[in-house]
């Protein structure tokens, strides 16, 4: 069997967190700061990044997802507020306006909603730089379900427990013993990208490299290659030849739960607060909806097929200090490969009408891989 080349490292990430918003952000200024962030120390953003004037009490690990949320809420890129990649400069007036808007938002939440994050940038902007001051004539699409934190329900005692449903899921995949025998997996196929702001879908070849227990790399062959690289406790996002952007703790948790092999092996250790909430439907099939959370990802819903036990949907929110970033992954077309069921199709749905459909044509397992493939 052929050994995987390290050239595969420079390509596109496909996990939901990386494709939500790839806005440029500041990196930790030295390795000691980076290690402190990964250790979940109380280190604050101004101790690591330059020219932080608001959100000074925010953990340094929240800088990147917070920037991404604000870019998505206004429908802009980094250049709307920043000068090139010199992030600390204040020459762009939009940057000072953004600071004022954050202070206004926090004042509203503190004074009107008992300091709960009820109002965000998106509440008014809705993906535009200018806010509307009149009612729209046409109706807008409904947001992803569960978008309101108040919608969380208590567990239904008449349903199986969340742990029981996860154990049924592992059995449906082929059982814990069969899963433990899979040391690596290579998936090849296509990804079709659809965006509400573009008239036609685009398609590219994709390769996904997974190595047990916690390494993964998404590779999409596009004009400007990018790559999501996850290696244990660290992760990076590459865009072409630019300096890699480091993943936050919440983004690392997203990457882990979207790794099917990792989730099947580590759900008991990594997920807490599991509750079976209700019976619902996904694509016409009845599902058990199970709520859970990780240390840095506070709200996750898993939908398991009521009959087969297979996972049909994950819906999660990546929290930031200015709002929650949603993503939904729908799995389909499970096939048996070496005694373990693998989804051959899944769709990542995101805010602002973006979706990424992965169609796998080939799966190889227990393929030797070079350790350097998962290094920065």
């Amino acid at each position: 069997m052929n050994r995987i080349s390290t050239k595969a490292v420079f390509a596109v990430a496909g996990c939901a967190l990386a494709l939500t918003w790839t806005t440029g952000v500041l990196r930790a200024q030295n390795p000691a700061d980076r290690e402190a962030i990964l250790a979940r120390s109380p280190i604050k953003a101004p101790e690591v990044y330059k020219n932080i004037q608001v959100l000074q009490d925010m953990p340094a690990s929240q800088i990147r997802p917070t920037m991404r949320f604000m870019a998505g809420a206004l429908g802009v890129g980094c250049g709307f507020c920043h000068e090139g990649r010199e992030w600390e400069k204040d020459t762009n007036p939009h940057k000072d306006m953004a600071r004022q808007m954050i202070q206004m938002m926090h004042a509203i939440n503190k004074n009107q909603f008992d300091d709960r994050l009820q109002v965000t940038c998106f509440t008014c902007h809705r993906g535009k730089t200018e806010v509307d001051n009149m009612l729209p004539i046409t109706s807008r699409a409904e947001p992803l379900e569960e978008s309101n934190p108040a919608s969380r329900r208590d567990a239904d005692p008449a349903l199986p427990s969340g742990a029981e449903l996860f154990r049924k899921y592992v059995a449906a995949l082929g059982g814990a013993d069969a899963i433990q025998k899979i040391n690596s997996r290579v998936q090849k196929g296509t990804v079709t990208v659809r965006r509400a702001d573009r008239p036609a879908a685009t398609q590219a070849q994709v390769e996904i490299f997974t190595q047990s227990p916690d390494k993964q790399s998404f590779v999409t062959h596009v004009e400007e290659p990018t790559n999501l690289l996850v290696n244990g406790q660290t992760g990076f996002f590459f865009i072409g030849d630019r300096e890699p952007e480091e993943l936050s703790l919440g983004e690392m948790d997203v990457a882990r739960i979207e790794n099917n092999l990792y989730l099947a092996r580590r759900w008991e250790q990594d997920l807490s607060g599991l509750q079976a909430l209700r019976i619902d439907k996904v694509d016409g099939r009845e599902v058990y909806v199970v709520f859970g959370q990780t240390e840095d990802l506070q709200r996750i819903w898993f939908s398991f097929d009521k009959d087969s036990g297979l996972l049909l949907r994950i819906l999660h929110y990546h929290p930031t200090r200015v709002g929650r970033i949603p993503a939904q992954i729908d799995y389909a077309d499970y096939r048996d490969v070496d005694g373990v069921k693998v989804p051959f199709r899944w769709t990542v749905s995101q805010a602002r009408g973006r979706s990424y459909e992965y169609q796998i044509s080939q799966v190889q397992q227990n393929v030797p891989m070079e350790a350097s493939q998962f290094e920065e």
Side-chain angles (χ1 to χ4, degrees), residues 222-291:
V222 290
E223 183 176 351
E224 186 178 25
T226 62
N227 178 43
L228 177 77
L229 188 65
V230 177
N231 185 352
Q233 297 300 309
T234 61
F236 300 91
F237 190 79
F238 300 84
I239 304 178
D241 295 331
R242 303 178 198 173
E243 184 180 12
E245 297 175 6
E246 200 157 353
L247 302 187
S248 72
L249 297 172
E251 290 169 325
M252 289 294 297
D253 281 353
V254 170
R256 292 188 188 100
I257 67 167
E258 293 177 9
N259 179 341
N260 300 127
L261 275 178
Y262 184 91
L263 180 64
R265 286 173 165 165
R266 296 281 305 178
W267 66 269
E268 213 164 355
Q269 292 87 349
D270 285 14
L271 295 175
S272 62
L274 290 176
Q275 295 180 322
L277 300 182
R278 62 185 182 276
I279 295 175
D280 210 331
K281 285 191 175 182
V282 171
D283 293 331
R285 298 191 63 85
E286 286 195 330
V287 295
Y288 290 113
V289 178
V290 176
F291 174 85

Side-chain angles (χ1 to χ4, degrees), residues 24 33 109 130 232 303 320:
D33 290 335
N109 284 322
E130 301 292 332
S303 295
T320 77

Side-chain angles (χ1 to χ4, degrees), residues 16-61:
L17 69 95
L19 290 173
T20 305
W21 281 100
T22 55
T23 56
V25 296
L26 304 174
R27 279 192 86 189
Q29 294 165 5
N30 60 64
D33 290 335
R34 177 177 168 277
E35 291 302 320
I37 293 173
L38 291 174
R40 292 183 170 86
S41 77
I43 188 169
K44 302 301 182 183
E47 300 176 61
V48 178
Y49 303 109
K50 298 177 181 178
N51 199 16
I52 302 294
Q53 297 186 22
V54 297
L55 299 174
Q56 293 192 343
D57 63 336
M58 183 174 68
S61 62

